[in-house]
Amino acid sequence: RKQRDDNPARMTSRPIDYSKWDNIELSDDDSSSEEVEEHISPRVTKLETPGTVTRSSDGTISVQPSSQIINESPIPPAKNFASLPKIEFVKEGLSKRETLVRNGGEFRQDGILIAFWSQDRNEVILSVTFDPSVFSPRNIKVQIVGVLPFSERYSAVGWTSSDKQAGSLIVTAAVSNNNSSEAETLISGELPHFVHLSEGEDEVEWEIEDCENFGIMKSDYGKSKILRITLRKAVPMSGLSVWWSQPLMHFPTIDISKIQDRGTNAEKQEAVKRSWDEAHRLFKEKISSREKEAI
């Protein structure tokens, strides 16, 4: 019996037959499909008149002319907004004159009208009437001593003048037809509560308007201009509203319990105010009772 020889060195190698690859057709399916797609052009139907195009569920597309022809209206010319009347927002049911004393009042001295004042939850507006033939509007200066920066609008601790001086207001103006450089005082006084500046501002906001804009005739008071000063209220904490009884300490006071815009949470805010005042009083007593220590 002949034995099998497993030695690889003794095995005879057979050549590989490559003839079976000669009849294979080489092609690129992707390039062929792209060439086919290039020869296919879309079918486009142009509508000469207005109409509707409908495609049914079986793929049939039908075109029907519309019986309604859309008439294009010409574009109106642009309006000159500078010539339009100025829009003013006034509380419903209030005249312009009434807005000067909304939640506030007026101040007279020796029977002569000096100023109006109004307020809401965030600010007090003091409106001072004056005669431009006496005081030059170009040289009016409004200053507040003790005004708080915007960042401290919620930290008005010791917020009444009886507890701590809240600041003072002084308005000066040069006298018209006067060669003297010295200015005279238009109005001044102590503030009953702290005020703060607007964000990004370093001066108090004010403006000058005609008295006629508020229904005040020169024949009534002898004055034709009105200086409106905005006093922004500073409070001890966010969410707390302080209603003023007077804009300056020498003005007559009003009954804040009768203010129309206080709302239904007035009693709650008064309770918060009393609690804050009491806590502040106890804190001051505690600080004052401490003995000074050398550092």
Side-chain angles (χ1 to χ4, degrees), residues 106-107 114-117 126 187 246-253:
E106 62 181 42
F107 174 61
I114 303 298
F116 304 94
W117 71 281
L126 180 61
I187 191 171
Q246 56 189 165
L248 296 174
M249 294 301 295
H250 63 282
F251 275 48
T253 60

Side-chain angles (χ1 to χ4, degrees), residues 94-165:
L94 293 179
S95 65
K96 294 181 179 180
R97 174 68 177 272
E98 290 173 329
T99 60
L100 294 175
V101 294
R102 178 74 175 181
N103 303 320
E106 62 181 42
F107 174 61
R108 295 174 180 267
Q109 191 171 18
D110 298 330
I112 301 175
L113 177 66
I114 303 298
F116 304 94
W117 71 281
S118 62
Q119 66 176 319
D120 57 23
R121 295 183 180 277
N122 302 314
E123 64 188 24
V124 172
I125 297 182
L126 180 61
S127 303
V128 183
T129 57
F130 69 97
D131 186 355
S133 64
V134 178
F135 294 97
S136 174
R138 294 181 299 177
N139 298 321
I140 287 181
K141 293 183 179 180
V142 179
Q143 294 178 321
I144 293 183
V145 178
V147 62
L148 301 178
F150 178 79
S151 59
E152 298 181 15
R153 64 193 184 281
Y154 297 139
S155 58
V157 179
W159 58 358
T160 61
S161 58
S162 60
D163 187 18
K164 179 182 177 181
Q165 186 175 353

Side-chain angles (χ1 to χ4, degrees), residues 12-13 35-36 40 68 92 98 183 206 216-217 221 248 254 262-263 266 268-269 280 282 288:
T12 303
S13 60
E35 292 177 358
V36 174
I40 299 176
Q68 296 181 352
E92 183 179 0
E98 290 173 329
W206 58 274
I216 302 175
M217 301 294 103
Y221 303 102
L248 296 174
I254 64 170
R262 294 188 69 187
K268 181 179 179 181
Q269 294 212 5
H280 182 61
L282 296 175
S288 60

Side-chain angles (χ1 to χ4, degrees), residues 31-286:
S31 60
S32 299
S33 61
E34 291 178 357
E35 292 177 358
V36 174
E37 290 178 357
E38 289 180 357
H39 292 84
I40 299 176
S41 58
R43 185 179 63 180
V44 179
T45 301
K46 182 179 180 181
L47 302 180
E48 300 295 339
T49 59
T52 59
V53 179
T54 305
R55 184 179 185 276
S56 61
S57 59
D58 59 357
T60 305
I61 298 177
S62 60
V63 180
Q64 296 179 351
S66 177
S67 59
Q68 296 181 352
I69 300 177
I70 301 175
N71 295 324
E72 296 184 357
S73 58
I75 300 176
K79 295 183 179 180
N80 183 10
F81 292 97
S83 61
L84 296 178
K86 181 180 178 181
I87 300 177
E88 296 183 359
F89 296 93
V90 180
K91 286 185 178 291
E92 183 179 0
L94 293 179
S95 65
K96 294 181 179 180
R97 174 68 177 272
E98 290 173 329
T99 60
L100 294 175
V101 294
R102 178 74 175 181
N103 303 320
E106 62 181 42
F107 174 61
R108 295 174 180 267
Q109 191 171 18
D110 298 330
I112 301 175
L113 177 66
I114 303 298
F116 304 94
W117 71 281
S118 62
Q119 66 176 319
D120 57 23
R121 295 183 180 277
N122 302 314
E123 64 188 24
V124 172
I125 297 182
L126 180 61
S127 303
V128 183
T129 57
F130 69 97
D131 186 355
S133 64
V134 178
F135 294 97
S136 174
R138 294 181 299 177
N139 298 321
I140 287 181
K141 293 183 179 180
V142 179
Q143 294 178 321
I144 293 183
V145 178
V147 62
L148 301 178
F150 178 79
S151 59
E152 298 181 15
R153 64 193 184 281
Y154 297 139
S155 58
V157 179
W159 58 358
T160 61
S161 58
S162 60
D163 187 18
K164 179 182 177 181
Q165 186 175 353
S168 59
L169 167 71
I170 180 170
V171 180
T172 59
V175 178
S176 301
N177 301 325
N178 191 345
N179 296 327
S180 175
S181 59
E182 184 177 355
E184 293 191 9
T185 301
L186 187 60
I187 191 171
S188 64
E190 300 293 330
L191 293 170
H193 304 281
F194 286 100
V195 297
H196 70 85
L197 297 172
S198 299
E199 185 175 8
E201 299 292 336
D202 55 4
E203 294 183 354
V204 177
E205 300 174 54
W206 58 274
E207 61 181 355
I208 297 176
E209 296 191 39
D210 293 330
C211 288
E212 293 182 354
N213 295 341
F214 298 93
I216 302 175
M217 301 294 103
K218 183 177 181 180
S219 57
D220 298 334
Y221 303 102
K223 302 175 182 179
S224 60
K225 295 291 183 181
I226 187 167
L227 171 67
R228 291 170 58 80
I229 306 170
T230 301
L231 305 174
R232 301 196 179 277
K233 299 177 179 179
V235 293
M237 67 179 70
S238 177
L240 185 64
S241 300
V242 179
W243 292 99
W244 292 20
S245 61
Q246 56 189 165
L248 296 174
M249 294 301 295
H250 63 282
F251 275 48
T253 60
I254 64 170
D255 186 356
I256 60 175
S257 64
K258 297 181 180 180
I259 291 179
Q260 301 177 12
D261 294 345
R262 294 188 69 187
T264 57
N265 62 343
E267 295 182 359
K268 181 179 179 181
Q269 294 212 5
E270 283 296 325
V272 173
K273 178 181 179 299
R274 288 192 298 268
S275 299
W276 180 269
D277 289 341
E278 179 64 16
H280 182 61
R281 184 186 64 80
L282 296 175
F283 175 76
K284 289 198 305 178
E285 291 180 356
K286 182 178 180 180

